[in-house]
Structure formats: structure tokens, C-alpha cells
Amino acid sequence: MRGRFKSWAPSLLEAHPEKGVSGKEDPFFSLGPDLEIGGGKGMFAIRMARKGRKILSLERDVSSAGTFLKRLLALEEEGESLPVRLLRKDFDEAGDILEGHLFPRIYLNFSDPWPKKRHEKRRLTFHPRLLRIASLLAPGGEIRFKSDQLPLYEFTLGECGKAGLKVISAKEDYALDETEDAMSEYEESFRKEGKRIHRIIIGRN
């Protein structure tokens, strides 16, 4: 679901390092942000920040990250400065920066389902990777997973068991909790198409 390459995005991202994190000692970590793995074009992070959350969003794709940043800058021009930062890495690349930090919530929104059986190790919720994600949870923290893909939802439930993680909640047809959650662009589009959204809330035992 990637769009066309945006030729202006690399230079925009380079011009605004203050909207990223500089490394594992970046002061933004001291604010106790949530972690979003796969930020897309930024609407989920922006909407959650408006609900009072602080968000560190991983988004490796340069065009998506550029659109994300462009939205943040446009809001700043309108006088709205939000506690949102970008990290241009995927989860497997970000370990050196994330290591040692704990997050109250980790969001996995509409990640690539990698539907072929031979690709299951690439899925974000493959149990060794899911365990690494869970190791970044603060005490009492939660991983919040959403997908429009029922096979990925079912796979993730199984991987929680393999990883020894606690399934706090699992809903095959999730109605948006507007006080505690927000929609990404993908979710908004899927709901308009009448697709069911699946959600799992995962904790550590």
C-alpha cells in the first residue's frame, strides 16, 4: 500500500533533524513516550498526541516519513506543536537506539501480513520478534495490535502463546474506542470499505 516515491521527501527530512531522535540518549525518551512501529503517514500518531500521548514513531519508508513530517510542520505553522518524533528505521534496525528504554504502550498498526507461509518469519509478530518487542514494555505496559487481516490476527494470537505473553483482549470485530485509540489512514479507509478490524492487546506475564 505504498504510494509513489516523493522526490521532495529526503531533503525535507534532512532539513528537520529536530523532528527525529538523535540516538538512545535523546531527551525525548525522558518524556516516557509510547512507541509506534510503522508510522505510515502520521495520522495515528497525530491523533493520539492530541489525546495526550507522546509518540515515538518508527517509519523507514522515505515517502511515508516525508508525508508524516510535512503534516507535523503544517500543524506547527498553525500553532499546534505535538510531542511526536520520527525514527527512520524499522524495528529490526532500531535495536541500538531503543535498547534500555521502556514504553508504556507499543502500537502495531496494520503491519505487512506477509501472507505466504514461507515468509512467516518476516511478520512483525513472529514470536522471537514479538518477544523482543515485549522486552521494551514498561511494567504494566501493553502491545496494541490492529489489522484488517484475519489470518495475521489468528497467527498473532498463536505467536503470543509461543512467546509466553498474556492476551489481555482479543476482538475479531473491534469497534473503535475513541477515548483510548485513534485511526490511522489505513484503518479509516478499511472501515469505509466495510472491512472488520481485528485487535489484540498483549501484556507480559
Side-chain angles (χ1 to χ4, degrees):
M1 296 187 69
R2 298 294 186 191
R4 291 182 179 178
F5 175 71
K6 296 175 173 58
S7 59
W8 48 265
S11 57
L12 182 69
L13 289 160
E14 187 175 348
H16 291 278
E18 77 283 359
K19 294 303 178 188
V21 293
S22 57
K24 68 183 304 174
E25 304 303 325
D26 192 279
F28 189 68
F29 286 109
S30 68
L31 301 179
D34 296 337
L35 177 66
E36 180 188 18
I37 302 176
K41 298 176 183 177
M43 286 311 303
F44 176 81
I46 288 168
R47 287 165 172 165
M48 291 301 288
R50 285 172 170 164
K51 295 176 187 290
R53 309 300 299 190
K54 302 170 185 68
I55 310 288
L56 172 61
S57 186
L58 307 186
E59 180 51 64
R60 191 176 188 276
D61 180 74
V62 66
S63 296
S64 295
T67 300
F68 193 146
L69 175 58
K70 192 174 184 179
R71 283 177 167 162
L72 288 177
L73 295 174
L75 291 173
E76 283 201 351
E77 287 183 5
E78 296 168 4
E80 187 176 11
S81 181
L82 296 172
V84 176
R85 295 292 183 273
L86 272 164
L87 180 56
R88 286 280 327 286
K89 294 178 181 289
D90 64 26
F91 178 73
D92 290 339
E93 298 169 332
D96 57 335
I97 294 175
L98 300 178
E99 185 180 3
H101 297 293
L102 298 177
F103 302 91
R105 293 182 188 171
I106 300 176
Y107 305 105
L108 314 180
N109 292 324
F110 303 93
S111 55
D112 193 327
W114 292 103
K116 294 181 179 179
K117 175 68 175 176
R118 69 177 183 271
H119 291 154
E120 70 174 20
K121 291 182 180 180
R122 299 186 185 185
R123 295 171 194 161
L124 191 57
T125 54
F126 180 56
H127 66 275
R129 186 174 293 110
L130 189 58
L131 265 176
R132 293 200 301 273
I133 293 170
S135 74
L136 298 175
L137 285 175
E142 298 174 344
I143 298 169
R144 297 189 171 197
F145 163 95
K146 286 192 288 186
S147 180
D148 65 310
Q149 299 289 318
L150 183 60
L152 182 60
Y153 167 84
E154 293 172 339
F155 171 83
T156 300
L157 285 174
E159 296 301 284
C160 287
K162 292 178 184 178
L165 297 173
K166 176 172 60 177
V167 175
I168 298 169
S169 172
K171 296 182 179 180
E172 282 194 20
D173 192 0
Y174 165 63
L176 184 71
D177 178 354
E178 294 190 7
T179 61
E180 285 286 316
D181 195 9
M183 288 192 288
S184 65
E185 299 90 338
Y186 289 163
E187 182 172 353
E188 200 164 5
S189 175
F190 293 148
R191 287 188 183 277
K192 286 178 181 176
E193 293 170 10
K195 290 186 176 181
R196 290 194 304 169
I197 303 302
H198 317 299
R199 186 170 84 148
I200 309 170
I201 299 178
I202 305 161
R204 296 178 70 179
N205 284 318

